[in-house]
Amino acid sequence: MPLIPEEPQIHEKAQGPRATPASGRTAPTPRPVPGPRPAAPPRPGRPGPARPAAPAQRASRDTAAKPAPSGPAAAAPARSAPQIQLIPATPEGALDAAEEAVDLLLDSGRTPGDVLVVTTGEPHPWAAHELSFGDAAYWAQHDAGDDVFYTDAAAVDRAASRAVVVVALNGGDAAAATVLPLARSRAGTLLIVCGDPQRVNSVLGAGV
């Protein structure tokens, strides 16, 4: 009786099904593909990545960014007049009232660089102190535009426009007629005047 060869014993541990290519060689088991990594949380004190604007918002911005048609019929948009707020104060108390107004502006969210303070009498102590270091250093702080800037009636025409201008009528009665119109032209959105209401109304109009 012929001997039948025994089948070889397989001692390998079960590895699960393997894909066998056409060549007959055993293919390695494919490695799992890692999924997307979660976004890293923003660092403390640093904003996270800005979200892209919705298409509808971008479209509206693109439309708003298109220049108006030029030509004889196109007129330049008129600059809106600033809102005027009057705080009754005596010449002796006008500077303190202006300081309180600045504090309220900053507490409400205004940045210091948005505010210009003008005095008609004695200069603000900060202005007097900074001018002691020289005119160039004083106006360099104005040009930096990162803090509240204090000036007086003689130099208000040199000051650049800011969102809010606060005027303290702390003396110099004749200066009010010149300073108030200049201050209004420098104010972007709000002009605050601390002084005698009758004097303010006589310069800026009874509707203040």
Side-chain angles (χ1 to χ4, degrees):
M1 184 178 183
L3 296 175
I4 300 175
E6 296 181 357
E7 295 184 3
Q9 298 291 329
I10 299 175
H11 299 286
E12 296 181 1
K13 294 183 179 179
Q15 299 291 333
R18 294 187 180 184
T20 304
S23 60
R25 289 182 295 177
T26 303
T29 304
R31 296 181 180 179
V33 179
R37 296 182 179 180
R43 287 173 154 186
R46 297 174 63 92
R51 295 183 179 179
Q57 293 177 342
R58 280 198 291 264
S60 62
R61 288 175 187 169
D62 295 341
T63 304
K66 291 181 180 179
S70 59
R79 180 176 178 267
S80 58
Q83 179 185 355
I84 301 176
Q85 180 180 347
L86 176 58
I87 300 176
T90 62
E92 296 77 17
L95 194 55
D96 289 338
E99 288 282 20
E100 292 179 6
V102 171
D103 289 341
L104 289 173
L105 287 168
L106 300 181
D107 290 342
S108 66
R110 286 282 184 183
T111 60
D114 283 346
V115 184
L116 171 69
V117 180
V118 182
T119 57
T120 59
E122 290 291 326
H124 189 278
W126 180 91
H129 174 74
E130 295 300 323
L131 280 168
S132 67
F133 297 101
D135 192 71
Y138 170 73
W139 285 103
Q141 297 190 57
H142 165 271
D143 296 339
D146 55 4
D147 206 349
V148 179
F149 189 77
Y150 296 84
T151 189
D152 58 17
V156 65
D157 58 342
R158 186 174 172 181
S161 299
R162 293 201 177 189
V164 183
V165 177
V166 181
V167 179
L169 300 179
N170 60 333
D173 294 341
T178 304
V179 169
L180 289 177
L182 278 173
R184 179 167 56 183
S185 69
R186 298 295 190 273
T189 58
L190 179 62
L191 171 64
I192 301 175
V193 184
C194 306
D196 179 17
Q198 291 184 351
R199 179 173 297 278
V200 176
N201 288 334
S202 66
V203 177
L204 297 180
V208 176

